[in-house]
Amino acid sequence: MQWTDVLATRNSRMKASEIRELLKLLDQPDIISFAGGIPDPALFPTAAFSKAFETAMTPEHAASALQYSVSEGYKPLREWIAGEMGKIGVPCDADNIFITSGSQQALDYLGKLLISPGDTALVTAPTYLGALGAFNAYEPRYARLDAFSNETPEAAQAEAAEASDGKGRVKFAYLSADFANPTGETLSLEGRKALLARADAMNIAVIEDAAYQSLRFDGEAIPPLQALDIEAKGGIENSRVIYCGSFSKTLAPGLRVGWVCAAKDVIGRLVLMKQAADLHSPTLSQMATNFVAREIFDEHVAKIRAIYSSRRDAMLAALAREMPEGVTFTRPEGGMFVWVTIDPKLDAAEVLARAVADYRIAFVPGGAFYADGSRRNDMRLSYSCATNEQIDEGITRLGRLLRSF
Ligand code: PMP
């Protein structure tokens, strides 16, 4: 069978992720890898989950833990999340929360909800590769979101009108305002307000990907875009921001629990989508997450923040010491990533080949994070899974490698 004869057109946009392919090659023990962007498994709250799963299997909970459940998600967990959202300036109730199988599923559903083929999604350059992967299936066009731009709302409006050409219109801006993947950068308060003003002028939705938001190491927390928009509009039901949260970076990604916080109109539509797709996220995962979150969330997150922060410090100190002239790098206030920009004549994918073969270090070449493939000379380094000693040694090797070019 020639499968290409029967495949839907969207398949042409769906490619294997460069990162996943790469991670397969990195199992060799002598490689110091800054490539993954995953939590350190040594930091998983294993004992708390063990107890939570045991509780879920007691007669009081087992019948519901193992039964079909509602598509919105497990109510006690939605209530806890609504309380947490309130603490970061997003007053809402459990009906504004929709549980997904990781925030990755939220991105897929939001693509399905908002994109008709030919519509435009505004994404930062670079942006989270997994968001492009999720949106691609719905056949959008991409335009560059310069979150730091000084463009006036009027100019944004004119630009949006120009992009609406009969084949589609601009539908949303997608970004991580805190410690973005891949750059580690954070959008300032002024930047957030300006972005919301442009979104108002363009009459588009804003998807706020908050996967790393709880992992702030230093500096002042800045209110989420959704909080600012709610303040301006008088309530979540009037807000154009759709917030995507996740327990993956704080508790554990294997549970696959994330959430969307948004106006009830949006939540209701996502619930219909989930009914059609997988009925609901696993009840057992949601229940265990609820028990663990209520018991240890703040204390656990404080603990992992301290450890990741020390690794971030080790990486920045080593980069400052080892990088040759002309190499620049971001200084994240949280999250898991540093974004390193090397000589524009170099292709980071080719640098990686030599890094693995000759220097036994790995990172993710930056090209895949650009919707238009426009740059090749960046690399994403993650400090989340390396010890301070490995970071020191790995960055020393990276310096030697870059000087060899
Ligand atoms: N958004 C961003 C920015 C991410 O980095 C990730 C994980 N790499 C996700 C979303 C998806 O995470 P999850 O589905 O585990 O919540």
Side-chain angles (χ1 to χ4, degrees):
M1 164 103 210
Q2 264 297 348
W3 285 102
T4 45
D5 294 341
V6 295
L7 292 179
T9 50
R10 72 179 67 89
N11 285 274
S12 65
R13 303 273 303 261
M14 297 167 82
K15 299 182 290 203
S17 141
E18 203 168 315
I19 301 188
R20 287 217 177 287
E21 294 304 302
L22 186 94
L23 286 174
K24 286 189 203 150
L25 303 175
L26 296 181
D27 273 346
Q28 298 125 317
D30 64 322
I31 289 193
I32 299 180
S33 177
F34 304 125
I38 55 178
D40 184 343
L43 303 178
F44 291 153
T46 316
F49 271 113
S50 180
K51 192 173 131 203
F53 279 111
E54 219 168 280
T55 309
M57 287 301 106
T58 56
E60 188 191 340
H61 297 292
S64 52
L66 298 175
Q67 189 54 283
Y68 283 119
S69 181
V70 293
S71 300
E72 294 76 342
Y74 182 56
K75 183 93 186 270
L77 179 61
R78 288 191 291 127
E79 285 167 347
W80 184 82
I81 293 170
E84 293 296 300
M85 294 301 302
K87 291 182 198 164
I88 55 171
V90 178
C92 65
D93 59 49
D95 292 338
N96 296 109
I97 308 293
F98 167 66
I99 304 291
T100 54
S101 295
S103 55
Q104 189 64 35
Q105 185 177 54
L107 298 177
D108 174 41
Y109 284 6
L110 291 171
K112 206 179 208 173
L113 182 72
L114 301 173
I115 302 167
S116 298
D119 281 339
T120 296
L122 302 179
V123 295
T124 54
T127 187
Y128 169 50
L129 182 57
L132 297 177
F135 301 150
N136 278 347
Y138 304 102
E139 305 177 61
R141 290 180 285 179
Y142 292 107
R144 185 182 175 135
L145 172 70
D146 185 354
F148 298 90
S149 111
N150 293 320
E151 188 181 48
T152 61
E154 293 71 31
Q157 196 171 27
E159 204 180 300
E162 201 176 309
S164 303
D165 57 359
K167 280 184 254 145
R169 60 159 281 190
V170 183
K171 286 294 182 66
F172 62 84
Y174 162 83
L175 78 160
S176 280
D178 293 285
F179 332 123
N181 178 2
T183 65
E185 286 174 314
T186 293
L187 185 60
S188 66
L189 180 61
E190 300 69 48
R192 291 175 200 220
K193 288 184 175 162
L195 182 101
L196 289 169
R198 297 204 302 276
D200 280 346
M202 295 166 116
N203 189 24
I204 57 171
V206 175
I207 300 177
E208 175 169 32
D209 183 335
Y212 298 91
Q213 194 171 68
S214 307
L215 295 182
R216 175 175 278 284
F217 312 145
D218 34 48
E220 283 271 313
I222 306 172
L225 287 156
Q226 191 172 50
L228 297 169
D229 200 40
I230 288 174
E231 200 177 277
K233 310 278 169 60
I236 191 165
E237 301 310 326
N238 301 326
S239 174
R240 61 177 68 254
V241 180
I242 302 173
Y243 178 106
C244 303
S246 176
F247 288 103
S248 291
K249 320 295 173 180
T250 49
L251 296 181
L255 278 291
R256 307 307 302 129
V257 183
W259 70 93
V260 173
C261 177
K264 287 177 189 144
D265 189 8
V266 172
I267 299 295
R269 291 170 199 275
L270 293 173
V271 167
L272 293 180
M273 233 165 239
K274 196 151 178 73
Q275 270 164 12
D278 63 351
L279 299 181
H280 61 82
S281 291
T283 324
L284 186 53
S285 271
Q286 297 183 62
M287 200 182 258
T289 299
N290 177 56
F291 293 148
V292 172
R294 285 172 188 267
E295 196 177 321
I296 60 157
F297 191 80
D298 286 347
E299 164 204 341
H300 180 71
V301 172
K303 177 182 134 185
I304 66 173
R305 270 202 297 251
I307 294 167
Y308 289 139
S309 165
S310 134
R311 291 176 185 170
R312 185 265 330 247
D313 291 345
M315 185 168 274
L316 291 182
L319 285 168
R321 190 183 71 222
E322 300 291 342
M323 287 302 100
E325 185 133 348
V327 171
T328 59
F329 53 91
T330 56
R331 287 171 182 73
E333 291 187 331
M336 297 185 171
F337 307 107
V338 177
W339 185 244
V340 178
T341 299
I342 59 176
D343 186 331
K345 290 194 289 298
L346 295 177
D347 180 335
E350 285 164 25
V351 176
L352 174 67
R354 230 157 96 188
V356 174
D358 301 337
Y359 293 79
R360 309 307 281 161
I361 52 171
F363 54 83
V364 180
F369 296 98
Y370 290 93
D372 60 359
S374 57
R375 275 169 68 110
R376 310 280 305 168
N377 61 313
D378 309 285
M379 37 205 204
R380 189 191 75 177
L381 305 183
S382 170
Y383 43 81
S384 60
C385 283
T387 62
N388 290 9
E389 294 69 38
Q390 286 169 330
I391 290 169
D392 206 60
E393 171 61 24
I395 298 296
T396 304
R397 290 186 204 172
L398 180 65
R400 282 209 303 275
L401 163 65
L402 290 177
R403 281 192 296 276
S404 79
F405 277 95

